[in-house]
């Protein structure tokens, strides 16, 4: 298994291109199952999750072609993928495939909407919590599907098609909202989704579905109204920039000090996180080219943070922010409200010298003067990258094991950091 070795203590200066968002690319790729025409997606990041989903989609009969390299393109400019589900040849998503990536469970909605049946393996637990799918199945039931759970599979049937209905989510769920949207676009009549997720990735999916011919109002608000149509067609859509990658590099610059332009980043996608960085003493400005992040000698101040659904502070930046706060002046309280078990980075940050005390869903992070390098590992993607951020500011060498977590969600991480002056290298294991 590959490792990443970081020699800490270097400032970051320069520019980092921000890739297309993983969490938008995945549902957009899944939406290709809704039509027999071609859905062309541009700015798709080169990530192992994207490759894994491609394999899952081809099992259902989706043809894929990737546009060849053009002048001016590099391994870091997003790729363009054309997906065509002329026929769905298999309505079953087996355990072996779904267990590698939770988001693949979402194929249940378009396959059910188009074929009247779908059988998808239940995804099981994951490192950050139990992550059930009850609300996704509730949404499909509201639209008239019959659901059975059998031998670890969710089997959904709607032989006479889905029917529009009111879906009220008792808590905000991104995957639930994606699922409800993809099922409702081909249902007969009107669906109202209440307490819908307002995440930018939901808005991006709705924008793409609208280009495909869907009738959707209110995406980006907590009430989405969908008027079903008989069929959808092909479309061309560019994936929006990754707000979590943006926030991660912003925190890396805040941690090491320096001056970096995050090219193509959009402040409106992560305003709450940027506001917190400003409170911590970091300079953040929006420019035509992206977001510029600077810290030149001013100290980092401790700031309290609570994760929340969008537009609140994202859970996917909680670990990275905790890494930053390990070197702030004072004590920061970080509360995780979305997932019940998303503090696995705490033990590993402690190995680098961080002082963190856990109390239920709250971490008390007492800033220390210095971190020192150590071998570390993490069990999920965002926790892994928080160790990269800490390693960049630690004295000496930090080796991060299980790099495959990083490859799931960060395109060209070493190259992007190295070009800004970081000492980062991948060691093949
Ligand atoms: N929940 C339920 N029942 C359900 C669905 C969700 O109780 O049927 C709970 C979850 O257990 C959690 C909360 O509702 O406590 C919110 O979960 P949500 O459904 O919003 O999460 P998700 O759709 O499974 C996506 C992202 C996650 C991100 C969350 C929250 C993708 C592929 N994944 O997951 O991203 O943390 O939304 O914003 O979009 C990551 O990229 O590292 C990642 C984990």
């Amino acid at each position: 298994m590959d490792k990443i070795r970081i020699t800490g203590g270097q400032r970051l200066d320069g520019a980092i291109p921000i890739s297309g968002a993983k969490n938008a690319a995945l549902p957009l790729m899944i939406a290709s199952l809704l039509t027999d025409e071609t859905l062309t997606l541009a700015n798709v990041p080169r990530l192992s999750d994207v490759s894994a989903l491609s394999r899952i989609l081809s099992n259902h009969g989706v043809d894929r072609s990737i546009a060849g390299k053009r002048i001016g393109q590099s391994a870091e400019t997003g790729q363009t993928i054309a997906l065509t589900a002329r026929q769905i040849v298999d309505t079953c998503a087996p355990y072996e495939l779904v267990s590698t990536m939770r988001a693949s469970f979402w194929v249940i909605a378009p396959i059910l909407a188009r074929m009247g049946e779908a059988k998808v393996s239940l995804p099981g637990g994951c490192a950050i919590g139990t992550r059930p799918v009850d609300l996704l199945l509730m949404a499909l039931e509201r639209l008239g599907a019959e659901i059975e759970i059998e031998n670890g599979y969710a089997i959904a049937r709607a032989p006479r098609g889905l029917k529009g209905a009111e879906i009220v989510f008792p808590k905000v769920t991104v995957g639930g909202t994606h699922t409800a949207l993809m099922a409702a676009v081909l249902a007969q009549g009107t669906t109202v989704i209440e307490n819908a997720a307002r995440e930018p990735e939901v808005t991006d999916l709705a924008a793409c579905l609208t280009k495909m011919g869907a009738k959707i109002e209110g995406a980006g608000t907590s009430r989405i109204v969908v008027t079903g149509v008989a069929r959808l067609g092909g479309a061309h859509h560019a994936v929006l920039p990754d707000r979590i990658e943006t926030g991660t590099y912003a925190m890396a610059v805040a941690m090491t000090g320096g001056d970096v332009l995050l090219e193509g980043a959009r402040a409106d996608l992560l305003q709450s996180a940027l506001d917190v960085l400003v409170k911590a003493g970091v300079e953040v400005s929006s420019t035509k080219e992206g977001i510029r992040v600077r810290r030149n000698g001013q100290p980092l101040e401790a700031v309290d943070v609570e994760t929340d659904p969008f537009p609140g502070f994202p859970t996917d930046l909680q670990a990275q922010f905790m890494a930053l706060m390990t070197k702030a002046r004072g004590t920061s309280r970080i509360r995780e409200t979305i997932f019940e078990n998303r503090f696995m980075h705490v033990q590993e940050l402690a190995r680098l010298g961080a002082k963190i005390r856990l109390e239920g869903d709250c971490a008390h992070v007492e800033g220390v003067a210095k971190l020192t390098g150590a071998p570390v590992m993490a069990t999920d993607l965002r926790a892994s990258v928080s160790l990269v951020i800490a390693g960049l500011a630690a004295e000496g060498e930090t080796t991060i094991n299980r790099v495959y977590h990083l490859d799931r969600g960060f395109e060209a991480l070493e190259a992007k950091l190295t070009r800004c002056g970081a000492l980062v290298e991948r060691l093949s294991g």
Side-chain angles (χ1 to χ4, degrees), residues 22-23 131-135 171 173-175 316 338-339 382:
K22 166 181 87 81
N23 288 351
R131 301 183 78 184
V133 289
D134 55 325
L135 301 177
K171 68 151 87 157
T173 153
V174 173
D316 289 346
I338 309 290
F339 292 109
R382 311 303 177 186

Side-chain angles (χ1 to χ4, degrees), residues 91 108-119 137 139-148 154-164 182-184 186-188:
T91 57
I108 193 166
I111 295 179
L112 172 69
R114 191 159 149 200
M115 305 299 287
E117 61 166 49
K119 178 176 174 185
L137 297 177
L140 298 177
E141 271 179 334
R142 293 289 304 147
L143 298 175
E146 281 166 26
I147 309 276
E148 275 176 87
I155 304 169
R157 290 193 187 86
R160 283 177 300 283
L162 296 169
K163 295 220 165 39
M182 286 193 273
L186 288 181
Q188 290 163 39

Side-chain angles (χ1 to χ4, degrees), residues 177 193 256 327 332 390 427:
T177 308
I193 308 171
T256 60
K327 284 198 72 185
S332 152
L427 311 170

Side-chain angles (χ1 to χ4, degrees), residues 98-419:
V98 178
S99 58
T100 63
M101 191 191 5
R102 287 188 54 85
S104 56
F105 185 79
W106 303 340
V107 301
I108 193 166
I111 295 179
L112 172 69
R114 191 159 149 200
M115 305 299 287
E117 61 166 49
K119 178 176 174 185
V120 179
S121 169
L122 292 168
C126 84
I128 62 177
T130 51
R131 301 183 78 184
V133 289
D134 55 325
L135 301 177
L136 283 67
L137 297 177
M138 175 279 281
L140 298 177
E141 271 179 334
R142 293 289 304 147
L143 298 175
E146 281 166 26
I147 309 276
E148 275 176 87
I149 306 289
E150 220 177 81
N151 304 118
Y153 280 78
I155 304 169
R157 290 193 187 86
R160 283 177 300 283
L162 296 169
K163 295 220 165 39
E166 187 182 45
I167 300 169
V168 184
F169 284 115
K171 68 151 87 157
V172 176
T173 153
V174 173
T177 308
H178 286 322
T179 307
L181 262 177
M182 286 193 273
V185 285
L186 288 181
Q188 290 163 39
T190 302
T191 298
V192 180
I193 308 171
E194 297 281 7
N195 199 22
R198 291 181 281 165
E199 268 64 6
E201 293 75 21
V202 169
T203 315
D204 207 34
L205 174 65
C208 177
L209 291 170
T210 302
K211 289 180 194 167
M212 293 165 74
K215 295 206 161 67
I216 302 170
E217 278 167 45
T221 74
S222 47
R223 184 172 194 266
I224 304 180
V225 180
V226 183
T227 310
V229 295
R231 64 179 300 277
L232 294 178
H236 189 290
H237 185 80
V239 179
L240 91 173
D242 196 317
R243 64 193 168 104
I244 305 303
E245 190 197 27
T246 305
T248 300
Y249 289 125
M251 286 175 200
V253 179
M255 185 71 164
T256 60
D259 184 345
V260 171
L261 175 68
L262 303 171
E263 287 170 347
R266 271 174 46 194
D268 60 310
L269 302 179
L270 74 159
Q271 197 56 57
S272 62
L274 296 178
D275 290 347
V276 167
L277 284 181
V278 170
K279 270 197 201 157
V282 182
E283 286 177 65
V284 177
S285 51
S286 253
T287 73
K288 268 204 320 294
E289 289 83 29
I291 300 175
R292 186 169 169 198
V293 182
R294 274 177 294 178
R295 189 168 74 83
N296 285 314
Q298 59 278 43
L300 278 171
E301 302 296 340
V303 182
D304 293 346
V305 146
E306 181 170 317
T307 61
D308 259 318
F310 191 83
F313 189 95
T315 173
D316 289 346
L317 284 175
Q318 181 256 107
Q320 299 89 314
F321 185 69
M322 194 180 299
L324 180 63
M325 289 293 100
T326 61
K327 284 198 72 185
R329 281 205 308 208
T331 299
S332 152
R333 276 171 296 273
I334 301 179
R335 222 180 128 219
E336 171 59 52
T337 72
I338 309 290
F339 292 109
E340 71 269 26
N341 186 26
R342 208 171 198 185
F343 281 140
M344 291 86 52
H345 41 284
V346 168
Q347 280 307 315
E348 299 299 302
L349 288 170
R351 293 172 54 72
L352 300 173
K355 275 197 176 169
I356 306 170
R357 183 171 56 83
L358 279 181
E359 198 182 312
D361 61 0
C362 190
H364 301 254
V365 187
E366 189 188 323
V368 293
K370 70 167 189 176
L371 300 175
T372 45
V376 287
M377 71 176 175
T379 40
D380 88 275
L381 150 72
R382 311 303 177 186
S384 293
V385 86
S386 78
L387 300 173
V388 171
I389 292 179
L392 287 171
E395 275 179 16
E397 257 181 39
T398 297
T399 322
I400 297 159
N401 293 288
R402 300 200 181 168
V403 170
Y404 61 85
H405 286 299
L406 290 169
D407 294 336
R408 289 187 45 215
F410 289 91
E411 185 174 32
L413 175 97
E414 307 99 273
K416 289 184 183 187
L417 286 171
T418 303
R419 271 209 311 270

